Amino acid sequence: MHIMEGFLPPAHALGWAAVSLPFLAWGLRVIGRDLQAHPERRMLLGVAAAFAFLLSALKLPSVTGSCSHPTGVGLGAALFGPTAMVPVGFVVLLFQALLMAHGGLTTLGANVFSMAIVGPFVSYGVLRAVAALGLSRSVAVFLAASLGDLATYLTTSAQLALAFPAAVGGFGASFLKFAGIFALTQVPIAISEGLLTVLVVNAMVRFNAHELRALPVMTLGARKEGA
């Protein structure tokens, strides 16, 4: 999903940075207020950040100019909501660009939009929707993490298609090409990420249930499991 350094045209790189900046400011404000009111959640936020960093660093070759990997943002979205994951995802992507040559500074805005904005918001929306159906926490978390992952890659496919439309078929043909190639590696990765996120959430609920109960988003999918 990380679009590599210098791959996007300058106008596209600047445009995605401009779109992502208000979300980053919003996220910093939300997370600052949350941690001021609940300083004990700092360690839990660190766990969510580390999870996203480690999973998104496991890259596989994919389409030209990008790669496939888990995103890890579904866990943080389930714990803190999607807005808090924007600054977390920004820091993760910035460190990966600087220390691992994974992504890039010129493409940081585009990568933040796909992984730190679209992914968490889709994950959170799916979590609430599945929970509203009365399904278990495990099902809600699995679908939230998996579909948030896939939404990230569909967004990256759209970003690449906008930057490089096909000579025949334009944006639509280019999008189908990028998304189709991504699907070969990303569908199994998304399923694996969903399963891993369920295991992590269930372990956290088992060993730290009291703190998790204070997070409203976790109760959405826990109704049938009594967590």
Side-chain angles (χ1 to χ4, degrees):
M1 160 249 121
H2 291 53
I3 301 175
M4 71 182 186
E5 177 68 39
F7 193 73
L8 291 178
H12 287 253
L14 289 172
W16 289 115
V19 171
S20 298
L21 190 59
F23 287 92
L24 179 59
W26 181 24
L28 287 170
R29 183 177 180 183
V30 168
I31 206 169
R33 275 194 276 184
D34 185 52
L35 293 180
Q36 186 175 16
H38 305 281
E40 71 279 1
R41 293 181 183 173
R42 293 179 186 273
M43 186 172 294
L44 195 59
L45 182 65
V47 170
F51 187 77
F53 182 88
L54 290 174
L55 262 64
S56 60
L58 303 173
K59 61 180 181 177
L60 297 172
S62 188
V63 304
T64 301
S66 188
C67 58
S68 284
H69 57 77
T71 64
V73 297
L75 176 64
L79 293 174
F80 294 98
T83 312
M85 284 307 292
V86 181
V88 170
F90 171 79
V91 172
V92 166
L93 289 165
L94 178 62
F95 271 76
Q96 289 177 344
L98 293 174
L99 302 179
M100 304 171 64
H102 194 182
L105 295 179
T106 62
T107 56
L108 185 60
N111 292 332
V112 165
F113 185 81
S114 60
M115 191 179 104
I117 297 174
V118 173
F121 274 88
V122 169
S123 290
Y124 184 74
V126 170
L127 187 77
R128 291 185 65 93
V130 174
L133 296 175
L135 300 178
S136 70
R137 179 182 59 243
S138 294
V139 172
V141 170
F142 170 77
L143 291 175
S146 298
L147 294 180
D149 179 295
L150 292 176
T152 294
Y153 282 85
L154 289 175
T155 303
T156 300
S157 298
Q159 290 172 325
L160 293 172
L162 283 170
F164 307 103
V168 178
F171 169 82
S174 185
F175 174 79
L176 291 176
K177 180 187 74 173
F178 285 124
I181 297 173
F182 268 135
L184 296 175
T185 52
Q186 204 55 41
V187 170
I189 287 176
I191 294 172
S192 300
E193 179 174 348
L195 293 172
L196 178 60
T197 306
V198 169
L199 292 175
V200 171
V201 168
N202 287 343
M204 294 174 77
V205 169
R206 180 179 178 184
F207 295 107
N208 200 13
H210 177 73
E211 185 174 347
L212 291 182
R213 284 197 188 99
L215 298 171
V217 72
M218 289 305 300
T219 66
L220 292 173
R223 292 168 185 166
K224 280 196 172 183
E225 294 173 279

